[in-house]
């Protein structure tokens, strides 16, 4: 495999890996925010 | 995570990443034998080292959790193990691409590579256990033990090139024919640059796990009070 090609592929793979993990964390954060909002609404209705 | 700390860290990550990219492509000289493929080293080594730091912290906080039985230690251990696993995966991927160029194969059962793969599997098992439905304390105890066992493999990975015959190069070990000063500057800066990324991801994940924990405990309290009201 060409040296430059290897470097580019490795670079892309690395940042795609981080981006993928960040995407998962963002999705989880959105889910947590939604759950917090629904819980707050539930607590408000009980009061 | 602290609301002021997060943007500062994110800015440091972006700035350091940009500088490290400049150093990798323009400051560090091109190696004569491997050519541009050798520059994979500037990504491969920092992610490998920070994965070791993550696994070390996962084991330390795992032991703390076993002794003190506090959820905060379990959360830190969990976050470190998860990020360590991500970095170990990226180490294997970048190493494999580099290996394909320099050795002509994607994978070889070299001691360093094999021990690194064992480490990856141990922490993969750790993350599988995290998803299993069981009592929180039982789960954190099992995970702490797996983290400690996993960390025992880290010195083996690190010293594999010195302990056994290995085709994997031993960084900062070879006498003569070592790294050029520009290469050393670049790799040190890359290690520091990935430190910011590692810290930012770890703090973010710990904060997220704390939020999940608070949600879980508020929900269980609500359920308990509802049951009490029904009785």
């Amino acid at each position: 495999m060409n040296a430059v090609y290897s470097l580019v592929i490795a670079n892309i793979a690395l940042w795609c890996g981080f981006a993928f993990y960040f995407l998962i964390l963002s999705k989880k954060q959105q889910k947590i925010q939604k759950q917090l909002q629904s819980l707050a609404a539930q607590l408000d209705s009980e009061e | 995570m602290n609301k002021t700390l997060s943007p500062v860290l994110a800015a440091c990550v972006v700035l350091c990443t940009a500088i490290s990219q400049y150093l990798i492509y323009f400051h560090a000289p091109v190696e004569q034998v491997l050519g541009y493929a050798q520059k994979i080293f500037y990504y491969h080594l920092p992610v490998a080292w920070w994965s070791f730091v993550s696994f070390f912290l996962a084991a330390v906080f795992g032991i703390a959790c076993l002794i003190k039985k506090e959820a905060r230690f379990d959360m830190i251990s969990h976050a470190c193990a998860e990020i360590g696993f991500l970095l170990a995966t990226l180490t294997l991927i970048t190493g494999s691409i580099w290996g394909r160029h320099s050795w002509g194969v994607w994978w070889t059962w070299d001691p360093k590579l094999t021990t690194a793969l064992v480490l990856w599997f141990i922490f993969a098992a750790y993350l599988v256990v995290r998803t299993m439905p069981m009592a929180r304390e039982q789960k954190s105890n099992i995970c702490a033990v797996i983290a400690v066992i996993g960390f025992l493999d880290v010195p083996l990975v690190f010293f594999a090139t010195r302990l056994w015959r290995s085709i994997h190069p031993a960084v900062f070990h070879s006498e003569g024919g070592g790294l050029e000063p520009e290469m050393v500057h670049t790799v040190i800066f890359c290690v520091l640059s990935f430190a910011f990324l590692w810290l930012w991801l770890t703090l973010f994940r710990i904060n997220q796990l704390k939020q999940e924990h608070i949600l879980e405990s508020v929900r269980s309290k609500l359920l308990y009070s509802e049951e009490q009201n029904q009785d």
Side-chain angles (χ1 to χ4, degrees):
Chain A
M1 194 162 37
N2 182 295
V4 178
Y5 185 63
S6 299
L7 178 63
V8 171
I9 295 283
N11 204 345
I12 291 170
L14 182 86
W15 296 112
C16 280
F18 281 118
F20 178 68
Y21 183 64
F22 185 73
L23 200 74
I24 293 171
L25 290 190
S26 304
K27 291 267 179 199
K28 272 188 184 167
Q29 194 60 37
Q30 281 175 0
K31 199 176 154 189
I32 290 168
Q33 294 295 342
K34 273 184 191 170
Q35 284 174 340
L36 277 171
Q37 280 171 358
S38 68
L39 202 65
Q42 195 183 338
L43 285 169
D44 283 345
S45 66
E46 277 183 16
E47 277 174 9
Chain B
M1 194 181 348
N2 189 318
K3 280 190 177 174
T4 52
L5 184 67
S6 181
V8 171
L9 263 178
C12 286
V13 170
V14 173
L15 185 70
C16 288
T17 305
I19 296 171
S20 66
Q21 292 285 318
Y22 170 79
L23 291 175
I24 290 167
Y25 290 101
F26 303 107
H27 180 69
V30 179
E31 209 262 345
Q32 286 180 343
V33 181
L34 293 170
Y36 278 96
Q38 183 272 338
K39 287 178 188 277
I40 295 172
F41 162 76
Y42 303 114
Y43 305 113
H44 180 70
L45 182 120
V47 286
W49 280 9
W50 284 107
S51 76
F52 294 161
V53 172
S54 299
F55 293 144
F56 169 70
L57 291 175
V60 167
F61 283 100
I63 293 168
C65 178
L66 283 174
I67 296 167
K68 300 258 182 183
K69 306 279 177 204
E70 285 182 31
R72 64 192 170 119
F73 294 132
D74 182 47
M75 285 175 227
I76 299 171
S77 180
H78 181 179
C80 289
E82 203 174 285
I83 286 149
F85 179 76
L86 167 78
L87 296 176
T89 309
L90 295 173
T91 306
L92 289 175
I93 292 169
T94 52
S96 183
I97 297 167
W98 192 8
R100 179 72 183 87
H101 179 79
S102 52
W103 304 329
V105 285
W106 293 102
W107 183 262
T108 177
W109 294 103
D110 175 85
K112 185 121 180 163
L113 275 68
T114 309
T115 47
L117 188 67
V118 169
L119 183 66
W120 187 87
F121 273 116
I122 292 170
F123 280 92
Y126 178 101
L127 294 179
V128 169
V129 172
R130 280 285 174 196
T131 60
M132 286 165 80
M134 61 170 88
R136 191 180 178 89
E137 199 173 324
Q138 190 188 7
K139 196 191 279 187
S140 55
N141 286 347
I142 293 170
C143 286
V145 172
I146 298 173
V148 173
I149 292 167
F151 179 69
L152 294 177
D153 189 35
V154 171
L156 287 179
V157 181
F158 195 80
F159 294 110
T161 47
R162 294 153 178 85
L163 292 172
W164 300 290
R165 269 192 205 176
S166 173
I167 54 168
H168 191 283
V171 187
F172 304 126
H173 182 251
S174 49
E175 290 168 12
L179 296 171
E180 292 282 327
E182 290 88 354
M183 288 178 168
V184 177
H185 302 154
T186 308
V187 78
I188 290 171
F189 191 85
C190 287
V191 170
L192 292 174
S193 159
F194 275 98
F196 285 114
L197 183 58
W198 174 84
L199 188 67
W200 185 66
L201 281 175
T202 309
L203 291 177
F204 187 86
R205 188 68 185 121
I206 291 170
N207 189 46
Q208 209 172 50
L209 288 167
K210 270 184 195 168
Q211 288 178 345
E212 280 176 359
H213 180 70
I214 291 166
L215 262 173
E216 205 178 294
S217 40
V218 170
R219 264 205 208 116
S220 56
K221 273 180 192 168
L222 273 172
L223 269 174
Y224 180 73
S225 62
E226 272 174 22
E227 279 172 12
Q228 291 285 322
N229 288 338
Q230 280 175 358
D231 290 341

